[in-house]
Amino acid sequence: MRTQVAIIGAGPAGLLLGALLGKAGIGNVIVERSSAAHVLSRIRAGVLEQGTVDLLRSVGCATRLDAEGLIHEGIDLAFDDSLHRVDLKQHAGGRVVTVYGQTEVTRDLMDARSASGHSTIYEAADVTLHGIDASPYVAFRSDRVDVRLDCDFIAGCDGFHGVSRQSLPAAALRVFERVYPFGWLGLMADLPPVNDELIYARHSRGFALCSMRSPARSRYYVQVDASEHAEDWSDDQFWDELRRRLPEATAARVTTGPSIEKSVAALRSFVAEPMRFGQLFLCGDAAHIVPPTGAKGLNLAASDVHYLFDALREFYEEKSAAGLDAYSTRALARVWKAERFSWWMTSILHRFPDQGEFGERLQLSELDYLTHSEAAMSALAENYVGLPF
Ligand code: PHB
């Protein structure tokens, strides 16, 4: 087989890149090692920046998003037994975020892909990348047949555990990493959310987050030790722990009931540099991970895809490699700002094993300052709604 761009991974990054390339008439094939059903079973965050929404609109994948997405103009920070609202719209020049699950984004992109006729190979076994410094190709097995896919470029959109980053010579990469000594236990339930905006709560027992997927579906998280397993938590234990970490008046309003999913996610900050090696370009989680505080993961993948698409279009339409050469530097400048923001939000809201009483007072002082200073609220808001691409 031959195509112009071989895309590794059919998550939101790979599908969005495929949609943009397809619309521009640039040939592409997506190779995914899992099944479509498995890709859709992964529950991720649900807050989209305006830039991400605009990209989805530009490829005609926003009909359901526009109908069902929830516009959020603010968030609440909870500490000292009360809620403190940060008006995002007011502090970010009118910009807002849209609450719409990553799973739904993936489903919409998948449906558009099937309708477009571009090929996606699911359940590709033993995917390997070759010739990335000159004439690249992807080898894999599909339905027990060996396939060789020759291409001009490979886009590695296959996540943190994918083969793309691992195909680079170790000496070519510089890795920056911080692993946090805790995780998030998440619970999804078909119950009305406690609040009509997200609540990020700092409590001496640990962080909690009240989020949602729709007016009838809640998503909640509590910080837990990194060694905890979701199976060891009953729904009742979860609800009790969540309510303990919320202001009393908010806790009293939580509607509890049976969960439809519970899982623990580890928290990590990670960046691999550069994001390009030869003809291979890394996008999204393949190159970087942020802790979920601030919901930047999917949005960062979308901005990487935007930069890479721009560069590829310039290459094919204008015969210029300038955009491709600038890709890594351009993408990393935005990646590091989101790394900083996600690390900062994590650091002011979580309980750290070694923080001590001094650390606790600093967190409270930072939150007090944040919710009373126009400058600090603007800094939070402009990052939360998303820095420009
Ligand atoms: C979610 O709804 O899953 C969510 C929302 C905001 C975050 C992280 C996760 O910062």
Side-chain angles (χ1 to χ4, degrees):
M1 286 168 80
R2 169 150 195 106
T3 190
Q4 289 172 298
V5 182
I7 300 172
I8 314 300
L15 289 165
L16 180 59
L17 180 63
L20 288 161
L21 291 171
K23 196 159 168 269
I26 300 168
N28 65 93
V29 172
I30 302 184
V31 179
E32 164 64 52
R33 70 173 164 200
S34 312
S35 65
H38 181 262
V39 172
L40 282 177
S41 72
R42 306 189 288 219
I43 297 179
R44 297 287 189 273
V47 179
L48 307 183
E49 297 172 358
Q50 191 57 51
T52 306
V53 171
D54 292 344
L55 272 175
L56 290 163
R57 284 206 188 113
S58 76
V59 290
C61 280
T63 314
R64 208 157 60 90
L65 164 62
D66 283 330
E68 297 172 20
L70 307 171
I71 303 293
H72 281 208
E73 298 185 352
I75 57 171
D76 287 284
L77 297 174
F79 57 96
D80 268 351
D81 202 39
S82 49
L83 292 184
H84 306 259
R85 180 167 192 268
V86 177
D87 190 321
L88 297 172
K89 192 174 184 185
Q90 180 197 333
H91 288 98
R95 291 185 302 145
V96 296
V97 292
T98 304
V99 171
Y100 188 71
Q102 175 168 329
T103 313
E104 304 314 310
V105 171
T106 309
R107 196 190 306 277
D108 296 344
L109 287 165
M110 264 183 187
D111 291 348
R113 179 102 188 154
S114 327
S116 76
H118 286 282
S119 78
T120 311
I121 296 148
Y122 285 101
E123 298 180 77
D126 299 328
V127 179
T128 49
L129 313 188
H130 304 268
I132 50 181
D133 41 9
S135 18
Y137 69 93
V138 182
F140 54 93
R141 258 180 308 112
S142 175
D143 284 334
R144 299 203 183 80
V145 177
D146 287 323
V147 180
R148 173 178 166 144
L149 171 62
D150 285 283
C151 53
D152 300 333
F153 302 104
I154 301 176
C157 304
D158 52 348
F160 184 67
H161 299 289
V163 298
S164 297
R165 192 183 65 258
Q166 288 157 22
S167 305
L168 289 173
L173 275 187
R174 210 163 154 207
V175 165
F176 303 84
E177 185 167 33
R178 177 161 298 181
V179 177
Y180 301 87
F182 42 74
W184 282 13
L185 170 64
L187 175 146
M188 189 86 85
D190 281 327
L191 300 166
V194 63
N195 198 39
D196 51 15
E197 294 182 334
L198 270 58
I199 302 175
Y200 288 86
R202 184 236 167 247
H203 190 272
S204 55
R205 294 182 65 88
F207 170 75
L209 170 61
C210 306
S211 182
M212 66 193 72
R213 290 292 175 275
S214 74
R217 180 168 286 187
S218 307
R219 179 70 168 160
Y220 293 105
Y221 298 93
V222 291
Q223 174 188 350
V224 294
D225 200 79
S227 61
E228 295 265 2
H229 300 286
E231 309 81 75
D232 299 333
W233 284 74
S234 68
D235 289 352
D236 284 342
Q237 282 171 310
F238 182 96
W239 293 120
D240 287 345
E241 190 57 38
L242 174 73
R243 285 180 294 194
R244 272 188 212 119
R245 298 180 187 191
L246 298 175
E248 219 179 306
T250 309
R253 290 191 287 110
V254 175
T255 307
T256 63
S259 65
I260 53 174
E261 191 264 357
K262 280 203 294 289
S263 56
V264 175
L267 267 70
R268 178 195 299 271
S269 295
F270 174 93
V271 181
E273 293 185 358
M275 288 171 61
R276 179 220 184 144
F277 184 81
Q279 308 297 89
L280 170 63
F281 296 80
L282 301 178
C283 279
D285 286 6
H288 43 75
I289 297 288
V290 287
T293 333
K296 289 288 161 236
L298 172 61
N299 294 296
L300 263 194
S303 59
D304 288 353
V305 164
H306 163 78
Y307 294 134
L308 182 56
F309 167 64
D310 242 23
L312 289 166
R313 189 182 46 185
E314 193 178 307
F315 177 83
Y316 286 111
E317 286 177 8
E318 298 163 32
K319 311 257 175 297
S320 160
L324 293 172
D325 292 340
Y327 169 71
S328 179
T329 307
R330 250 177 118 191
L332 282 167
R334 193 170 188 278
V335 165
W336 273 110
K337 292 186 189 92
E339 289 286 344
R340 184 208 66 82
F341 177 67
S342 307
W343 159 83
W344 170 77
M345 264 195 92
T346 302
S347 72
I348 62 169
L349 291 165
H350 289 73
R351 182 186 161 80
F352 287 74
D354 57 352
Q355 71 188 144
E357 288 181 11
F358 187 79
E360 272 205 49
R361 290 299 171 103
L362 284 184
Q363 283 183 332
L364 287 168
S365 159
E366 176 126 18
L367 287 162
D368 184 23
Y369 170 66
L370 180 57
T371 47
H372 291 91
S373 154
E374 296 295 314
M377 282 190 280
S378 297
L380 167 66
E382 87 167 333
N383 282 279
Y384 195 87
V385 303
L387 295 174
F389 287 8

